[in-house]
Amino acid sequence: MKILLVKLSSLGDVVHTLPVVQDLLAACPGAQIDWVVEKAFAPLLSPLLASGHLQRVIPCELRRWRKAPLAAATRAGWGTFKKQLQAQPYDAVIDLQGLTKSALVARLARLAPGGKRYALANQTEGSAYEAPTRWVADVAIAMEPHIHAMQRGRELCARALGYALPPVPDFGLKVPPALMEQAQAAPETIAFVHGTSRADKQWPLQNWVTLGRQLIAQGYRVALPHGSTDELATSQAIAAALNGDDEGGGAIVWLRLSLDALTQKLAQCAGVIGVDSGLSHIAVALDLPHVQIYNFDTAWRTGPLSGSAGPAGPGVQRQLSVFAQPTPSVQAVWDAWLSCQPLPAQVSEWAPLP
């Protein structure tokens, strides 16, 4: 069976769709799965290509092309993309995005004899939705309005192809053994994911500094990734406050990395604390101890699923979200971090630092 998934963006949405691939392979052994995605997020899918779980990743640049639709580079890029998209027919084309642009991609894809296009029939709470997605579909599937973003995609595919969902989602992002050995040999590092595309999702800089001092006092090292000039400035400010005059202190600003390299770097961490962003969702996909910080009551839709215990067993929730307005306190985030640890009794309680 040849299946085309259409999930173009953004980073968090792509991460939430990863379990669909493993669901499909479990239900349809031997299925050949292709995925259309914005070029910027294609590196995240590299591990699934390397493992053979995906047959092809078809990159597009609709975000860039629509800014200059008549430019020669746009016409050339669109022609190449269309040729790749139509290189083979599909038994199932599944639009997981629910937007006009994804409907266009689904419509352009070729169907095998008897093949069908599937899409969402309705908007769910907190998500964007545009009517052309159901106009293009051969089968439009109505979803429960109040549903987690990850579960929405999984249920859409399961109902489209008629299989039962596995109880536990598998993101397919396996950490290579060599990286695991490096992580075990290195000082335990906690990554601070402070960057987000929306300023109203950020956590105050002083909160990061206070939390970082507490973690360093516990023997951790703090790593500070960044994906833009503004995020780099924030990482440097946090590191400067934590290290003071000690350049070799407990905080380090990572170099700016490609998405696949950054995913591997995160995989070597002992945990991640971050705001609601795509990078935080990658931490969830990697099954790292993780606290996700929310200034809005939307964790039910995009945050770590409740009840997902890690290797320590059902008594320990490996990943937690923390919500408060205008923003969660450092104490609340620290308490959540302690709750995510395999052996929380061995980690000291909060002790305010001077």
Side-chain angles (χ1 to χ4, degrees):
M1 189 175 189
K2 294 182 179 178
I3 302 169
L4 179 68
L5 304 179
V6 182
K7 188 69 166 185
L8 308 174
S9 59
S10 57
L11 178 55
D13 293 334
V14 173
V15 174
H16 284 138
T17 306
L18 290 174
V20 164
V21 176
Q22 309 306 318
D23 292 346
L24 287 169
L25 292 174
C28 311
Q32 296 182 23
I33 305 171
D34 294 352
W35 188 325
V36 183
V37 68
E38 278 281 346
K39 184 178 179 180
F41 309 123
L44 180 65
L45 304 180
S46 297
L48 280 71
L49 274 175
S51 65
H53 293 166
L54 285 177
Q55 188 79 6
R56 288 194 304 158
V57 172
I58 305 172
C60 67
E61 294 186 89
L62 294 179
R63 289 178 169 181
R64 184 171 68 88
W65 294 337
R66 69 185 180 189
K67 295 178 181 178
L70 301 180
T74 298
R75 296 198 302 271
W78 175 257
T80 300
F81 165 66
K82 187 176 178 181
K83 183 177 180 180
Q84 292 177 336
L85 179 65
Q86 298 180 336
Q88 66 177 23
Y90 294 98
D91 301 296
V93 175
I94 307 176
D95 177 4
L96 291 148
Q97 192 95 43
L99 300 176
T100 300
K101 61 182 181 180
S102 58
L104 171 64
V105 172
R107 182 65 183 85
L108 286 174
R110 292 170 54 206
L111 290 180
K116 292 183 178 181
R117 296 181 177 89
Y118 302 89
L120 296 161
N122 61 293
Q123 184 175 15
T124 58
E125 291 181 34
S127 68
Y129 182 81
E130 294 170 347
T133 189
R134 63 174 178 267
W135 299 344
V136 166
D138 298 302
V139 180
I141 299 172
M143 306 297 295
E144 168 64 36
H146 191 83
I147 189 171
H148 192 281
M150 180 176 63
Q151 290 300 101
R152 181 183 61 186
R154 296 182 72 207
E155 287 192 19
L156 173 62
C157 291
R159 291 171 59 184
L161 301 185
Y163 59 83
L165 278 181
V168 179
D170 180 355
F171 291 84
L173 295 184
K174 306 301 182 185
V175 182
L179 290 184
M180 288 296 294
E181 292 175 4
Q182 292 177 25
Q184 292 168 0
E188 287 199 316
T189 298
I190 309 301
F192 279 1
V193 177
H194 57 77
T196 174
S197 58
R198 286 174 45 182
D200 57 0
K201 289 184 176 183
Q202 294 176 355
W203 206 40
L205 187 145
Q206 186 54 48
N207 286 7
W208 290 114
V209 173
T210 303
L211 182 64
R213 286 173 177 161
Q214 181 69 9
L215 285 166
I216 290 171
Q218 297 289 327
Y220 289 104
R221 182 171 60 180
V222 172
L224 297 156
H226 54 90
S228 68
T229 302
D230 288 343
E231 290 178 13
L232 172 59
T234 300
S235 289
Q236 291 172 333
I238 295 171
L242 293 176
N243 292 338
D245 296 330
D246 183 5
E247 295 183 359
I252 181 171
V253 177
W254 282 348
L255 297 174
R256 188 169 179 177
L257 301 168
S258 64
L259 190 54
D260 50 344
L262 183 54
T263 299
Q264 290 192 347
K265 194 83 168 175
L266 281 179
Q268 298 177 59
C269 291
V272 175
I273 299 172
V275 294
D276 175 19
S277 70
L279 200 55
S280 278
H281 300 311
I282 291 177
V284 174
L286 290 168
D287 193 32
L288 295 170
H290 178 44
V291 177
Q292 206 164 93
I293 300 168
Y294 282 82
N295 299 339
F296 300 93
D297 191 12
T298 54
W300 66 267
R301 180 168 54 87
T302 59
L305 289 174
S306 61
S308 56
V316 178
Q317 175 103 8
R318 193 171 175 83
Q319 299 162 342
L320 291 171
S321 59
V322 179
F323 158 68
Q325 290 184 323
T327 197
S329 66
V330 178
Q331 180 71 62
V333 173
W334 179 253
D335 289 344
W337 172 251
L338 294 183
S339 297
C340 291
Q341 302 311 299
L343 297 173
Q346 294 184 8
V347 182
S348 299
E349 297 296 328
W350 176 258
L353 298 176

